[in-house]
């Protein structure tokens, strides 16, 4: 799905927003971080994790030169990818709506993404990107590690995933 920024923003703002996930059983809080994928070609993706359910979504890849861009440029890319993730129903067929809140493990990135979101007209608290605590950060690392090992295994041995 490729949308121009203004359409992406209006589509994101049109999504419903609730404290709990669509199932109603877990919090609608999402952790995100930029993660490096050491495959050929190497690159970076936006990793999203629902901290309560363990649901993972990956968006990207980020543009190859984004690693060397300023914080403001990287934050703009992340803000757009966050919205794209939810407008695209996290890759599913059913809308998941907007998150109740999102957090990251990088305080500087949290502030910069928040400023981008605010500048795009995103409010209702979503412009206030939180910073995860140590336990949430460790959980994110653990889940990313499992996800990446599975991805590498599938890429290295595609017959085993059939």
């Amino acid at each position: 799905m490729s949308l121009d920024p203004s359409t992406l923003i209006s589509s994101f703002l049109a999504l419903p927003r609730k404290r709990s996930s669509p199932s109603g059983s877990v919090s609608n809080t999402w952790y995100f971080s930029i993660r490096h994928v050491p495959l050929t070609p190497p690159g970076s993706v936006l990793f999203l994790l629902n901290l309560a359910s363990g649901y993972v979504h990956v968006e990207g890849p980020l543009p190859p030169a984004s690693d060397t861009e300023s914080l403001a440029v990287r934050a703009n890319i992340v803000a757009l990818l966050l919205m794209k993730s939810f407008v695209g129903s996290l890759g599913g067929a059913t809308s998941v709506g907007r998150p109740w809140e999102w957090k990251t493990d990088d305080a500087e990135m949290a502030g910069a993404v928040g400023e981008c979101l605010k500048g795009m007209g995103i409010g209702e608290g979503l412009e206030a990107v939180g910073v995860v605590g140590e336990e949430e950060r460790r959980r994110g690392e653990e889940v990313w590690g499992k996800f990446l090992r599975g991805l590498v295994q599938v890429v290295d041995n595609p017959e085993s995933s059939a």
Side-chain angles (χ1 to χ4, degrees), residues 35-45 60-64 67 148 151-152 155:
R35 299 294 177 139
H36 181 71
V37 179
L39 298 173
T40 303
S44 296
V45 296
L62 277 68
D67 291 346
L148 184 58
L151 179 63
V152 169
V155 170

Side-chain angles (χ1 to χ4, degrees), residues 15 30 40 45 47-48 62 84 88 91 106-107 110 115 119-120 137 151 162:
L15 295 172
W30 291 83
T40 303
V45 296
F47 170 70
L48 290 104
L62 277 68
K84 181 180 179 222
D106 180 336
E115 284 299 313
M120 294 174 183
R137 187 198 63 74
L151 179 63

Side-chain angles (χ1 to χ4, degrees), residues 13-77:
L13 289 171
L15 295 172
R17 181 169 176 248
K18 296 181 179 177
R19 280 190 189 271
S20 57
S21 68
S23 70
S25 61
V26 297
S27 169
N28 195 7
T29 298
W30 291 83
Y31 161 79
F32 69 87
S33 63
I34 297 173
R35 299 294 177 139
H36 181 71
V37 179
L39 298 173
T40 303
S44 296
V45 296
L46 182 67
F47 170 70
L48 290 104
L49 169 66
N50 180 292
L51 291 163
S53 72
Y55 185 87
V56 170
H57 178 73
V58 176
E59 196 68 56
L62 277 68
S66 63
D67 291 346
T68 60
E69 293 289 352
S70 68
L71 177 62
V73 170
R74 287 186 322 230
N76 188 65
I77 292 167

Side-chain angles (χ1 to χ4, degrees), residues 53-113:
S53 72
Y55 185 87
V56 170
H57 178 73
V58 176
E59 196 68 56
L62 277 68
S66 63
D67 291 346
T68 60
E69 293 289 352
S70 68
L71 177 62
V73 170
R74 287 186 322 230
N76 188 65
I77 292 167
V78 168
L80 293 169
L81 288 175
L82 284 169
M83 289 186 286
K84 181 180 179 222
S85 296
F86 289 91
V87 168
S89 303
L90 300 172
T94 306
S95 174
V96 295
R98 287 182 288 160
W100 188 256
E101 67 177 333
W102 34 37
K103 302 176 179 185
T104 189
D105 53 13
D106 180 336
E108 193 175 34
M109 181 61 79
V113 170

